[in-house]
Amino acid sequence: MHGYGSKKESFYYQINFLQNYFRVTAVDFPCFGASECTDEAWGVGEYAEWLLKFMNEAGLNRPSVVAHSFGARVAFKLFSVEGSRLEKLVITGGAGLVKPRTPQYMRQITRYRRARRFFPRFAEKHFGSEEYKSLSPFMKKSFKKIVNEDLKSCAAKISAPTLLIYGQDDTVTPFYEEGATFQSLICGSGLEVMEGGHFCFSEHPKEFNFKLFGFLTES
């Protein structure tokens, strides 16, 4: 399950490796990759409902799931409720925390809202991350819904064996914040830190696949 703004091909090295040993099903979430877009801007809940329907139609009863970034949000949301549908869970660069709003952040939000009121085009161009600014107005609505939902309570309900793999240079979801937090929330989970950044699984596929295969095949 890929990250936001990505597609199933981001797991190219994992798909090619794992299909020698497992049945592999890779999805494009709606509005990404080859999938059609939705009529309304979805939040994490809608994507989780879609994934459950997809699993039912594809006959995936108890799969092991590998999820990156936004895909981890969807996994936490779905399997906190449908825990019996999951065999094992591997999270890489997992997101899902809403961090405390610092005074600097709140001042930035105030400036943005003022600018948007009088100069909307200027505000959209000069405020926000590069990822956010690259999105269409429709996808910006979805993005806001997704990043403003804190999923700590969902992660705490995950009961399946879980491995968290984060890149040591990941600045999007740092291992000492997201990784350490999710490890403390998910009972019995393990945290592995490896070379690379937010896409460590494609930057160093051999190291990642070694960790992944070992976890999936251990009894």
Side-chain angles (χ1 to χ4, degrees):
M1 293 158 53
H2 61 77
Y4 199 85
S6 190
K7 53 186 177 179
K8 61 180 180 294
E9 283 79 12
S10 64
F11 283 114
Y12 170 83
Y13 296 107
Q14 285 67 52
I15 293 171
N16 282 351
F17 172 72
L18 291 175
Q19 66 184 2
N20 294 311
Y21 309 96
F22 303 94
R23 169 192 172 187
V24 178
T25 303
V27 302
D28 278 332
F29 285 118
C31 298
F32 301 102
S35 290
E36 295 182 357
C37 203
T38 59
D39 295 329
E40 298 180 356
W42 280 7
V44 182
E46 288 83 359
Y47 277 104
E49 291 174 2
W50 176 88
L51 180 60
L52 180 59
K53 182 179 179 181
F54 176 88
M55 288 175 58
N56 290 336
E57 293 181 353
L60 301 175
N61 296 319
R62 282 181 57 83
S64 291
V65 172
V66 183
H68 175 232
S69 196
F70 160 67
R73 295 179 188 266
V74 180
F76 291 147
K77 188 76 170 182
L78 175 59
F79 298 116
S80 64
V81 178
E82 299 285 343
S84 63
R85 297 294 303 272
L86 180 64
E87 181 71 23
K88 292 184 178 183
L89 179 61
V90 178
I91 298 294
T92 178
L97 303 181
V98 175
K99 300 174 185 178
R101 306 306 195 190
T102 64
Q104 181 182 4
Y105 175 84
M106 296 309 297
R107 288 194 293 270
Q108 183 78 348
I109 290 295
T110 300
R111 288 194 291 268
Y112 166 71
R113 289 173 176 170
R114 288 175 178 171
R116 187 180 62 179
R117 181 179 179 184
F118 298 103
F119 308 102
R121 291 184 179 178
F122 175 87
E124 291 298 326
K125 184 177 181 180
H126 291 86
F127 287 86
S129 65
E130 292 302 317
E131 179 184 17
Y132 178 76
K133 288 187 286 188
S134 68
L135 299 174
S136 67
F138 177 84
M139 292 305 293
K140 284 178 180 177
K141 292 181 181 179
S142 176
F143 186 83
K144 289 177 182 177
K145 289 183 178 181
I146 290 166
V147 300
N148 286 319
E149 182 173 359
D150 194 296
L151 295 165
K152 289 196 291 289
S153 62
C154 291
K157 296 177 183 177
I158 298 297
S159 57
T162 301
L163 175 63
L164 305 155
I165 306 177
Y166 283 74
Q168 62 185 9
D169 301 319
D170 187 347
T171 58
V172 179
T173 54
F175 72 88
Y176 51 82
E177 290 182 353
E178 270 84 354
T181 298
F182 289 132
Q183 184 189 25
S184 69
L185 291 169
I186 304 172
C187 183
S189 62
L191 173 61
E192 296 271 359
V193 180
M194 58 172 283
E195 290 186 89
H198 194 51
F199 286 82
C200 62
F201 56 92
S202 61
E203 296 167 354
H204 300 279
K206 289 185 178 180
E207 181 182 357
F208 184 90
N209 290 348
F210 179 80
K211 297 178 184 293
L212 175 61
F213 186 76
F215 176 71
L216 293 179
T217 56
E218 70 180 5
S219 60

